[in-house]
Amino acid sequence: MGEFFKAELKDRFLKYALDRKDYFETKTLYEEFLSPNYSLDFVVKLIREIREYDTKLLDIMGGNGVEIFMMASTQKTRQFLDTGGFKDLHVKEEEKWDAFLNQLTPNTKLSKEPQSFKRTSPEHKKEKTLLVLLISAIAISFAFTLFSILYTSLFQPEYVPADEFERKLEQVRSQYLQENEKLRTQLERNQMIIDSLKQSSFTK
């Protein structure tokens, strides 16, 4: 189950509680929205996530041997839904990720590197060409690796449980950060080479 769909379900739970005006059992949400494709435990998991975000969004009562048995809306429920709910939070989070990825686009940063070379001798041109090829190879490798990770983990048409999806999503983020760190380290090394070449040109 995707994160957007989970956010939509949370909003539906809150809206249902708002419309009820009374306490109702957890299994009511299961029968209303998720039966028979998902379990009652998944409903409880989503309710816990709602409470982790803000305990005042639902009034929870334990009973019948369980922590979360009955619930009802609160004064804050309507306010939260009127401001966009969990779907709006999810969209804003995705926009932050998009902005983050755009900032890390290799072509944006790497396109400026060759401009620092002002030498015209055949030897310097050769060094410049080698560095450009190296940087381009790193950028292509990074982009291909990121695409492979995202495609394999998120876009293959197969059903995965919600917990497995979250694990894969966290794995994608971790691998992405690792690849980005490798690229950043390599770029720093290349910058050191460039600075060294510039310094040597000044001393000649």
Side-chain angles (χ1 to χ4, degrees), residues 152-163:
T152 301
S153 301
L154 301 179
F155 299 110
Q156 286 187 340
E158 60 176 359
Y159 169 81
V160 294
D163 292 341

Side-chain angles (χ1 to χ4, degrees), residues 86-155:
F86 284 101
K87 285 193 294 185
D88 185 64
L89 291 176
H90 176 76
V91 170
K92 290 179 179 178
E93 182 66 21
E94 288 297 309
E95 290 175 348
K96 289 181 181 178
W97 269 95
D98 289 341
F100 175 73
L101 292 175
N102 289 335
Q103 291 176 358
L104 296 178
T105 299
N107 292 336
T108 302
K109 295 182 179 180
L110 301 180
S111 62
K112 299 181 180 179
E113 294 291 346
Q115 297 177 7
S116 62
F117 291 94
K118 297 182 180 179
R119 291 168 284 197
T120 58
S121 67
E123 179 182 354
H124 291 156
K125 285 184 177 180
K126 183 178 179 180
E127 293 171 350
K128 172 183 174 181
T129 301
L130 289 175
L131 281 174
V132 171
L133 290 175
L134 176 60
I135 294 172
S136 298
I138 295 171
I140 293 172
S141 174
F142 173 78
F144 179 78
T145 301
L146 177 61
F147 175 79
S148 299
I149 293 171
L150 289 172
Y151 180 84
T152 301
S153 301
L154 301 179
F155 299 110

Side-chain angles (χ1 to χ4, degrees), residues 31-202:
E31 295 169 352
E32 185 75 19
F33 297 104
L34 292 173
S35 176
N37 297 322
Y38 293 88
S39 67
L40 179 61
D41 290 338
F42 186 63
V43 176
V44 175
K45 180 177 182 298
L46 292 180
I47 295 173
R48 284 200 177 104
E49 290 181 3
I50 292 174
R51 297 192 70 196
E52 287 174 1
Y53 177 78
D54 191 339
T55 57
K56 296 181 180 180
L57 289 177
L58 286 172
D59 186 9
I60 302 295
M61 293 177 56
N64 202 28
V66 294
E67 176 190 358
I68 301 175
F69 179 56
M70 300 188 72
M71 69 199 72
S73 63
T74 67
Q75 293 181 352
K76 197 169 183 179
T77 306
R78 182 179 296 280
Q79 298 174 4
F80 180 72
L81 291 175
D82 288 343
T83 58
F86 284 101
K87 285 193 294 185
D88 185 64
L89 291 176
H90 176 76
V91 170
K92 290 179 179 178
E93 182 66 21
E94 288 297 309
E95 290 175 348
K96 289 181 181 178
W97 269 95
D98 289 341
F100 175 73
L101 292 175
N102 289 335
Q103 291 176 358
L104 296 178
T105 299
N107 292 336
T108 302
K109 295 182 179 180
L110 301 180
S111 62
K112 299 181 180 179
E113 294 291 346
Q115 297 177 7
S116 62
F117 291 94
K118 297 182 180 179
R119 291 168 284 197
T120 58
S121 67
E123 179 182 354
H124 291 156
K125 285 184 177 180
K126 183 178 179 180
E127 293 171 350
K128 172 183 174 181
T129 301
L130 289 175
L131 281 174
V132 171
L133 290 175
L134 176 60
I135 294 172
S136 298
I138 295 171
I140 293 172
S141 174
F142 173 78
F144 179 78
T145 301
L146 177 61
F147 175 79
S148 299
I149 293 171
L150 289 172
Y151 180 84
T152 301
S153 301
L154 301 179
F155 299 110
Q156 286 187 340
E158 60 176 359
Y159 169 81
V160 294
D163 292 341
E164 179 67 12
F165 179 87
E166 292 179 356
R167 187 188 67 79
K168 285 188 176 183
L169 182 60
E170 184 60 33
Q171 182 182 13
V172 167
R173 291 177 178 173
S174 176
Q175 288 179 315
Y176 176 83
L177 292 176
Q178 290 177 6
E179 290 297 329
N180 181 64
E181 181 63 23
K182 290 179 181 178
L183 177 62
R184 186 186 65 80
T185 301
Q186 188 61 55
L187 288 178
E188 289 178 352
R189 291 175 181 173
N190 291 339
Q191 185 61 51
M192 291 175 62
I193 295 174
I194 294 171
D195 293 341
S196 176
L197 292 174
K198 289 173 62 178
Q199 185 65 31
S200 64
S201 68
F202 293 149

